[in-house]
């Protein structure tokens, strides 16, 4: 397949799934469906969390931020991916590649930190229920979310600037479906020990440390749950914590395997599958996991729909 038609020498070529041209139309259909579900599901959570007064709590404030992140994350990758899957060329401009690379790093790193913040919120709700509203006051929640966003922004700036400074010796082919750091690093014609150390250090800060805090939080939560005698409250705790823990497992499991392993130890096909999972599948599953297992959200949707129906009839 000729992927260079119409491309300038400053463009990058996103090889994507060019090795399986017979599957590209099937993959594009799956990605398109996933994107629609991502848009509808996450937008619904954001609207419901803001429109229903009963959901004006720290948990749903963080959840609406997570949904907004997933929307941004998917939108920074999928539209260009669909254009390349549907069109005759696989090119992306240098500026487009830089923006895609930066924002994907930013949103991914921010989500790592935000999931840790949400684990602390669950810890406070379960283990300190009498002081929950005092501990998780609105100002603290806003500061925690702002810290997550700034942490993601700073790490993205560092990794993006260092990666793009590496000489590529004319290499233009990105062996992935979007401009992701591992694929861009493989384009470099020199080995950078400094880059490897920085990537590992930021991986520890953004992945391993937040994951450790999440595991510690859920260890304490598990001990607290075992002491709960009310069956109704026990089930509610398991539902809300179980949803968050499922999202953490899906997101952290794949992204840690992808970024914390030596780059040459992961085959390119395996890397594409893992990247596809945490960039396309996970943002689609997140709203489904939280809504299908969450009675509060389902009841809020029904209340909003009932109010809208009542208003239109009157």
């Amino acid at each position: 397949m000729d992927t260079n038609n119409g491309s300038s020498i400053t463009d990058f070529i996103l090889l994507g799934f060019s090795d399986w041209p017979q599957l590209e139309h099937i993959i594009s259909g799956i990605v398109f469906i996933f994107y629609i579900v991502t848009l509808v599901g996450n937008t619904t959570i954001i609207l419901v969390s803001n429109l229903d007064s009963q959901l004006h709590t720290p948990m749903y404030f963080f959840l609406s931020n997570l949904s907004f992140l997933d929307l941004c994350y998917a939108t920074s990758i999928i539209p260009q991916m669909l254009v390349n899957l549907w069109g005759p060329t696989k090119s992306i401009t240098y500026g487009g590649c830089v923006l895609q690379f930066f924002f994907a790093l930013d949103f991914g790193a921010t989500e790592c930190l935000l999931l840790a913040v949400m684990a602390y919120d669950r810890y406070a709700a379960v283990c300190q229920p009498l002081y929950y509203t005092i501990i998780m006051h609105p100002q603290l929640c806003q500061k925690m979310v702002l810290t997550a966003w700034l942490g993601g922004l700073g790490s993205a700036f560092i990794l993006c600037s260092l990666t793009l400074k590496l000489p590529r010796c004319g290499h233009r082919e990105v062996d992935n479906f979007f401009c992701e750091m591992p694929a861009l690093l493989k384009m470099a014609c020199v080995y950078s020990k400094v880059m490897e150390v920085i990537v590992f250090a930021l991986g520890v800060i953004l992945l391993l440390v937040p994951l450790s805090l999440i595991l510690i939080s859920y260890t304490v939560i598990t001990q607290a749950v075992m002491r709960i005698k009310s069956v109704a409250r026990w089930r509610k705790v398991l539902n809300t914590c179980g949803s968050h823990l499922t999202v953490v497992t899906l997101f952290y499991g794949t992204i840690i395997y992808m970024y914390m392993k030596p780059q040459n130890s992961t085959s390119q096909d395996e890397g594409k599958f893992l990247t596809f999972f945490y960039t396309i599948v996970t943002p689609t599953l997140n709203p489904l996991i939280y809504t299908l297992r969450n009675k509060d959200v389902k009841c809020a949707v029904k209340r909003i729909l009932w109010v809208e129906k009542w208003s239109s009839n009157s």
Side-chain angles (χ1 to χ4, degrees), residues 157-173:
F157 180 79
I158 294 171
L159 291 174
C160 189
S161 59
L162 292 176
T163 302
L164 295 175
K165 286 181 180 179
L166 296 175
R168 296 186 301 275
C169 300
H171 297 162
R172 299 167 52 215
E173 295 185 344

Side-chain angles (χ1 to χ4, degrees), residues 6 13 70 79 100 113 130 133 139-140 187 192 197 215 229 276 283 289 293 297:
I13 307 299
D70 283 336
Q100 190 179 65
L113 298 174
L130 298 179
T133 54
Q139 291 79 9
L140 177 63
M187 291 173 61
S192 174
V197 171
L215 294 177
K229 296 180 180 181
F276 185 89
I289 291 169
R293 299 190 60 179
V297 174

